[in-house]
Amino acid sequence: MLIFSCLVAGSFSLGGMAMKTETITPIAFNGLRFIIATCAVGVLAMATGGINRSAMAAPWRYVILGGLFAFYFIMMFTGLKTAAPIATSALFTLTPVLSAVFGYFIMRQITTKRIAFALAVGATGALWVVFRADLSAFLAFEVGRGEMIYFAGVVAHALYTPLVPRLSRGERTPVFIFFILVATTLVVLLFGASNIVATNWLALPSIVWIAMGYTAIVATTMTATLLTFASVRLDSAKVMAYTYLTPSWVILWEVALGNGVPSGLVFVGIGLTILALFLLLKHEE
């Protein structure tokens, strides 16, 4: 999950740069991205033991998980057209709070007082960043359209996490992820075929192709595998605790890509999200 948070952060910065070129729609971008990712995971699954027929049982499971996955990423890239990568990554840190709620109803996972306090600290830090350390903006609930769009995706991602262990039937991680990505690809193609056909693929700038390659191979294939591996071994709240590091990683990505450094007050919120991570990772007696 530590690696997961670092790799996810790159998709916010690179994805934001790609979407702001206004040369490709989020659904067309994700259509090709998921085709590439599905092929990559399919090769991985075949190379590590093959795909057994029993894994194809109850295909409705993959449709549910794939639908949530598709919705999250389309909302993410739609939001990044107008929202700043650091603000959206801060919203991503609200996932543990929502995962804890969904985890209770789906898996009956109980959240202790310490974990609840840690989630509250992390959520406060996330909101601090989203509202740019501006108390008046917070009191007026001045949230950008891009942030609101992305938050809808965050809810879907939070629901995805506890559903993974609930719907898994012991399939190997690469096989399970392969069928989820197959379903995700079909959902995106079903709703975005016209967008994909209308895209002038030969005229796309290089940053779009760089972001495409990164999000397909690294931010989809690798992170989905890491998340699934962790989700069947840890409680939902602790799995997503590592998302609290995402804004910190995004800041490093933004600096490395030459996109500037946020104001000093924003780092107060970043500090709170890191504190929440340490509180969540502390072992219970």
Side-chain angles (χ1 to χ4, degrees), residues 1 10 20 22 45 58 64 89 124 137 169 206 219 253 273 277 284:
M1 290 306 298
K20 286 178 174 61
E22 297 288 343
I64 293 174
S89 68
T124 302
R169 297 187 178 181
S206 59
W253 273 91
T273 60
L277 169 67
E284 296 286 358

Side-chain angles (χ1 to χ4, degrees), residues 2-278:
L2 178 63
I3 299 172
F4 168 88
S5 65
C6 178
L7 298 181
V8 163
S11 63
F12 286 96
S13 295
L14 292 173
M17 294 172 69
M19 288 300 102
K20 286 178 174 61
T21 65
E22 297 288 343
T23 57
I24 187 171
T25 64
I27 198 163
F29 182 94
N30 281 286
L32 181 57
R33 171 255 192 103
F34 280 118
I35 290 174
I36 297 171
T38 301
C39 293
V41 174
V43 171
L44 177 64
M46 293 300 295
T48 56
I51 301 174
N52 54 319
R53 185 170 296 181
S54 61
M56 302 179 191
W60 57 268
R61 299 177 295 151
Y62 305 118
V63 174
I64 293 174
L65 294 174
L68 290 172
F69 220 43
F71 183 78
Y72 166 73
F73 280 109
I74 291 172
M75 291 299 100
M76 173 184 174
F77 282 89
T78 302
L80 282 170
K81 293 179 70 174
T82 55
I86 295 175
T88 50
S89 68
L91 276 174
F92 187 56
T93 64
L94 295 177
T95 310
V97 179
L98 299 171
S99 286
V101 174
F102 289 134
Y104 171 76
F105 288 105
I106 294 172
M107 298 293 291
R108 286 293 183 257
Q109 294 173 344
I110 305 299
T111 300
T112 65
K113 292 181 179 179
R114 180 178 57 77
I115 290 180
F117 174 71
L119 293 175
V121 170
T124 302
L127 293 174
W128 181 277
V129 176
V130 171
F131 289 102
R132 303 171 299 282
D134 186 344
L135 182 60
S136 61
F138 174 74
L139 294 176
F141 204 73
E142 295 177 1
V143 183
R145 181 174 180 271
E147 285 87 347
M148 292 298 292
I149 290 172
Y150 178 62
F151 180 71
V154 169
V155 175
H157 197 290
L159 179 58
Y160 173 90
T161 305
L163 277 178
V164 166
R166 182 70 178 84
L167 298 180
S168 173
R169 297 187 178 181
E171 295 89 353
R172 292 187 306 108
T173 299
V175 174
F176 194 58
I177 286 296
F178 171 70
F179 283 111
I180 291 175
L181 288 178
V182 168
T184 303
T185 303
L186 292 176
V187 169
V188 174
L189 293 180
L190 177 65
F191 290 97
S194 60
N195 282 263
I196 295 171
V197 173
T199 300
N200 187 353
W201 296 99
L202 297 179
L204 295 177
S206 59
I207 184 59
V208 174
W209 290 110
I210 292 171
M212 180 82 69
Y214 181 88
T215 55
I217 303 302
V218 178
T220 301
T221 304
M222 293 180 65
T223 58
T225 302
L226 292 169
L227 181 60
T228 302
F229 182 88
S231 294
V232 296
R233 290 165 174 80
L234 299 171
D235 289 346
S236 297
K238 285 196 173 186
V239 167
M240 300 314 296
Y242 281 95
T243 62
Y244 287 128
L245 286 178
T246 305
S248 301
W249 287 119
V250 170
I251 289 175
L252 294 178
W253 273 91
E254 290 291 284
V255 172
L257 292 170
N259 295 333
V261 182
S263 64
L265 285 175
V266 169
F267 285 93
V268 175
I270 299 298
L272 289 174
T273 60
I274 294 175
L275 173 60
L277 169 67
F278 284 107

